[in-house]
Amino acid sequence: MGKYTGCIIEESMKDKTILNEFRIVESVTDDGTSYIVEIDESKIDDIVLKLQAAMSDEKIWYTDLKNCNFHYIIYNDRIFKVNRDFPEQYEEAKEYGLKRGIPEDYLPNKSWAK
């Protein structure tokens, strides 16, 4: 069974208990705290919805989970599922983030494809 990995920034979560759903691979404390997380592929459909519900209401945040085939880009009000074989699918998620005021350098883009 495959795994999805991602990065969750603690400050982006209004419900931090969501972290208990993941295996934390690494934590980094800098200006804030971020976690590199992992979850079994079998749980992905459920966890993206839980993760979305746990997110802050602020528009400046998103989180993501990916495996070798798919990349979920999760905003508090929208979820994008990108097939990593089709880099152009990143454009809609990127444009959505730009409209929310997230700087372009922080947004998913074609270079994140396979």
Side-chain angles (χ1 to χ4, degrees), residues 17-111:
T17 62
I18 189 69
L19 291 164
N20 297 330
E21 302 273 343
F22 295 90
R23 184 173 87 76
I24 296 174
V25 177
E26 181 182 357
S27 62
V28 178
T29 303
D30 196 355
D31 291 336
T33 303
S34 58
Y35 301 93
I36 305 301
V37 298
E38 185 176 87
I39 194 156
D40 287 334
E41 185 175 3
S42 64
K43 298 178 180 180
I44 195 66
D45 292 332
D46 185 47
I47 201 63
V48 295
L49 296 174
K50 287 181 178 180
L51 196 53
Q52 181 185 33
M55 291 185 72
S56 166
D57 294 331
E58 294 180 56
K59 292 185 173 191
I60 60 166
W61 300 110
Y62 77 92
T63 193
D64 69 311
L65 296 168
K66 64 185 171 187
N67 68 6
C68 60
N69 298 314
F70 294 102
H71 192 165
Y72 287 88
I73 298 133
I74 306 155
Y75 296 94
N76 63 2
D77 62 350
R78 189 147 180 209
I79 298 170
F80 293 88
K81 182 180 181 183
V82 173
N83 182 325
R84 296 183 74 198
D85 285 330
F86 298 97
E88 63 277 6
Q89 290 184 3
Y90 280 99
E91 286 305 306
E92 187 178 1
K94 177 182 164 187
E95 290 300 318
Y96 189 76
L98 287 170
K99 289 178 187 172
R100 294 171 63 100
I102 300 171
E104 186 169 2
D105 290 349
Y106 294 104
L107 289 168
N109 60 63
K110 291 179 183 182
S111 70

Side-chain angles (χ1 to χ4, degrees), residues 8-19:
I8 298 174
I9 299 171
E10 186 174 286
E11 292 77 12
S12 71
M13 297 291 126
K14 65 183 174 193
D15 180 2
K16 294 169 184 46
T17 62
I18 189 69
L19 291 164

